[in-house]
Amino acid sequence: MSASRKGGTGGSGGRPTKGRKKPLLAPDVTHVDYKDVTLLRTFISDRGKIRSRRITGVTPQQQRMVTRAIKNARELALLPHTTGR
């Protein structure tokens, strides 16, 4: 019997890895500006939903700052809302 694996997924359990390996924000970020639309777009999916911490790799405090900044930017029409359809 050979010791090689099938699939070549690289992870344990034979499942492909998902998500990002590197966080989108530096660990020392203490403020996220709602006017920085290019940064906030990296935290929004193509359907307009806010990406989860698990995907973006940020801390819980940073996720709350990002969420608040995205909501403020949506109120000022700098970012789109979700369509709901």
Side-chain angles (χ1 to χ4, degrees), residues 7-24:
T9 57
S12 62
R15 279 200 242 170
T17 56
K18 287 189 176 185
R20 297 181 181 267
K21 294 284 185 187
K22 189 165 74 167
L24 294 177

Side-chain angles (χ1 to χ4, degrees), residues 38-75:
T38 55
L39 174 69
L40 295 178
R41 282 189 192 273
T42 61
F43 292 97
I44 298 178
S45 69
D46 57 343
R47 298 181 67 98
K49 295 184 176 183
I50 300 173
R51 296 188 190 271
S52 67
R53 277 190 59 231
R54 184 175 53 85
I55 302 297
T56 59
V58 297
T59 64
Q61 293 83 7
Q62 289 174 336
Q63 182 69 23
R64 286 192 291 270
M65 288 188 296
V66 166
T67 301
R68 179 54 46 206
I70 289 173
K71 289 180 180 182
N72 285 340
R74 284 176 175 169
E75 282 293 315

Side-chain angles (χ1 to χ4, degrees), residues 1-9:
M1 222 193 249
S2 73
S4 66
R5 288 185 179 173
K6 291 184 179 178
T9 57

